[in-house]
Amino acid sequence: MAKKYIDIMDTTFRDGFQSVFGGRVLMDDFLPAVAAAKEAGITHFEFGGGARFQSLYFYLNEDAFVMMDKFRQIAGEDANLQTLARGVNTVMLDTGSRELIDLHAKMFKKHGTTTIRNFDALNDVENLKYSAQRIVHHGLKHEAVVTMMDLPPGCSGAHDVAFYEKTLRNILDSGLPYDSICFKDASGTSSPQKVYETIKMAKKLIPEGVHVRLHTHETAGVSVACYLAALEAGIDGIDLAASPVSGGTSQPDILTLLHATKGKNFDLGGLELEKILTYEEVLQDCLKDYFMPPEATQVSPLIPFSPMPGGALTANTQMMRDNNILEKFPEVIKAMREVVEKGGYGTSVTPVSQFYFQQAFNNVIFGPWKKIAEGYGKMVLGYFGHTPVQPDAQIIALASEQLKLQPTQENAVDIADADPTKSFLHVKDILLRENIEATDEHIFIAASCKEKGIEFLKGEAQVNVRKNQITPKQEKCTVASSNGEYTVIVNGEKFNVQVSEGLDASVEVKTITPATTPQAPSAPQSSGTTEITASLPGSVFKLISSVGASVKEGEVILVLEAMKMEIEIVAPCDGVIKSINVQKGQSVENGQVLATL
């Protein structure tokens, strides 16, 4: 009896990079490994989309469309090259208009994509309909998704087999076009038994011959067991990655599954151990200079209590490293449990996972529910679609009050269409003012990446990757060493210290700054001035006001960027701006004086 053929998608170059390095891997560094993967017999790759779209413009000063073109040239015309899209969000964190949703499919088809895996974090099928239509219209294969996770203990009402059956029936009954179905667990928290029962249920409902896949992560330590359960239940395809970007926060390793299925009646993509081993050796060499975050290689028994996706976990810890607040991460993860419990049970996958994390971060930094993160607030108010269950009534009220928005039942894409800033005309006007040609690619880059997209198109973007050492090839990179930054305590006072690498007498102390704690704006001094300070570490995103300007209490003076959030710094009282003490792009510490009034 012939073994059942199981399609293997290699997620190394999209989800693997995102889960381990926050998406920050330069194309010239990894493209040789693509050729090695092809030589090893891999024909199905996840090669772009998701967070690996914006991250190229945000951190790498690279064009995602150019990267996709080069990937296709290496992989060959017959390879199935797949990207990840978020329904009405496409590859953005915010909802796109119908114009942008259509342009996303058009551009991804133009630049080498075969299949788009398309999901909605709320499992709101209304958010999949239009994007599915445009994906198929532009000649791409559409993989419709049911998103999965386990709820924190004691919660119920969603994310069980009955809920997934309801969601799947909604997809099948909606009439939206699809070529395959995927069950996607970005946090890796679903139990093997639930996976088995879900796939069994799906194989009965889905028309015979339709390809069914499972995607999960090793974050909670049960991914291999879940894949084995799915294989026994009749799954047709699974997603795997290659070392060193496998396991831990990523997908299990290809070699691991080849080993785990020895003696079983499954043929995993026709792949051979020795050829995959050679491919992984090439990949290891390509990535040898990159700093490997220790949390990326770990599994956590606490993740099912606060389901944080592998793809978001390291991106967030890297941002916290950059801002010298990594010690807050366990506290934020613990706070995330309540945020999930009260938020309506949207699946913890981008963008909802980022909303959860931002709100948990705010609850730790500013106090529980003192500051509602914009994305989280809009989610509980209904601006991104319908959550699986009704969010907590008190949280809805707080979000409405702080964001000055009323709850809505309106379709998310209709809300986006009504927003003039999400129109082609608005984006073209911006490009015109900046003397940038309004090509389809430029329109989509500017619309999806906003100010950072414009900076890239103007040639002003910076490279920010974490490597263990600077080599001539990476002289222009901002490289953070794993052992060059410290917080030290002297006589009870904290100081942030940065040192250059070296041994003994060759060590050079580069900077020492007070590591102060968050504080409110200070009271007016005897000179009649008020210092306006940073309430958390970050970088200066925008300067709104200027020296000499009169401002009213509550008026925005500047905007910080921290943890993918824009934090408005407002005037604590009426006054005149005496000084602006920072510049756009400058990194700031907790308590640092930003301006005086």
Side-chain angles (χ1 to χ4, degrees), residues 191 306 408 547 556:
S191 68
S306 302
T408 183
V547 174
V556 179

Side-chain angles (χ1 to χ4, degrees), residues 13-85:
F13 305 100
R14 209 294 302 174
D15 207 342
F17 286 172
Q18 176 61 30
S19 297
V20 175
F21 300 121
R24 305 187 198 186
V25 182
L26 297 160
M27 73 173 88
D28 286 345
D29 289 341
F30 77 79
L31 285 175
V34 177
K38 180 184 178 183
E39 286 296 313
I42 295 173
T43 59
H44 189 181
F45 296 91
E46 188 180 40
F47 83 129
R52 268 288 292 176
F53 183 82
Q54 288 181 323
S55 65
L56 271 70
Y57 303 101
F58 285 13
Y59 306 116
L60 303 181
N61 193 23
E62 292 184 343
D63 191 333
F65 294 125
V66 171
M67 182 277 293
M68 292 162 68
D69 291 340
K70 290 185 176 182
F71 200 114
R72 170 58 77 182
Q73 290 171 6
I74 296 171
E77 62 181 19
D78 295 329
N80 182 1
L81 300 188
Q82 188 159 319
T83 61
L84 187 67

Side-chain angles (χ1 to χ4, degrees), residues 183-423:
F183 290 86
K184 176 179 173 64
D185 185 348
S187 60
T189 52
S190 295
S191 68
Q193 184 62 28
K194 186 175 77 171
V195 166
Y196 177 83
E197 293 176 8
T198 298
I199 301 304
K200 274 288 190 183
M201 170 273 296
K203 294 295 284 187
K204 292 178 180 178
L205 289 183
I206 296 170
E208 187 175 354
V210 174
H211 187 84
V212 182
R213 304 189 65 85
L214 177 68
H215 170 97
T216 191
H217 286 244
E218 179 61 6
T219 322
V222 294
S223 66
V224 174
C226 285
Y227 274 150
L228 292 176
L231 289 169
E232 295 297 335
I235 204 77
D236 302 304
I238 57 176
D239 297 352
L240 301 172
S243 177
V245 291
S246 59
T249 51
S250 181
Q251 280 71 59
D253 194 271
I254 301 171
L255 291 175
T256 299
L257 260 292
L258 287 172
H259 182 67
T261 53
K262 284 179 180 176
K264 292 183 177 293
N265 196 35
F266 305 110
D267 174 7
L268 300 191
L271 300 176
E272 300 175 23
L273 283 166
E274 293 294 342
K275 290 182 178 180
I276 297 299
L277 181 61
T278 299
Y279 156 42
E280 293 197 353
E281 289 172 350
V282 174
L283 181 65
Q284 182 80 45
D285 185 64
C286 287
L287 301 176
K288 65 180 183 298
D289 292 332
Y290 282 81
F291 166 61
M292 178 72 72
E295 63 275 10
T297 62
Q298 299 169 354
V299 297
S300 171
L302 300 180
I303 289 299
F305 294 86
S306 302
M308 168 57 65
L313 191 152
T314 51
N316 287 319
T317 56
Q318 292 285 52
M319 284 189 288
M320 297 183 88
R321 266 193 188 88
D322 291 342
N323 290 294
N324 296 316
I325 51 173
L326 185 58
E327 75 279 359
K328 294 285 186 183
F329 181 71
E331 198 176 344
V332 175
I333 284 293
K334 186 175 181 180
M336 188 172 150
R337 176 174 179 173
E338 182 185 22
V339 170
V340 173
E341 290 172 348
K342 294 188 175 183
Y345 300 163
T347 313
S348 192
V349 61
T350 306
V352 169
S353 57
Q354 199 61 29
F355 299 160
Y356 285 153
F357 189 84
Q358 288 169 346
Q359 188 58 58
F361 181 82
N362 282 359
N363 285 0
V364 169
I365 298 296
F366 301 107
W369 306 107
K370 297 296 184 184
K371 183 176 179 60
I372 298 294
E374 182 180 8
Y376 185 82
K378 284 186 173 181
M379 178 185 71
V380 300
L381 291 171
Y383 285 84
F384 298 124
H386 296 92
T387 54
V389 301
Q390 183 75 355
D392 182 88
Q394 289 183 317
I395 302 304
I396 292 174
L398 280 173
S400 181
E401 177 186 358
Q402 292 188 27
L403 300 184
K404 296 178 173 56
L405 291 171
Q406 292 300 311
T408 183
Q409 296 291 320
E410 193 174 354
N411 190 309
V413 73
D414 291 334
I415 296 173
D417 276 346
D419 184 345
T421 67
K422 296 180 179 181
S423 69

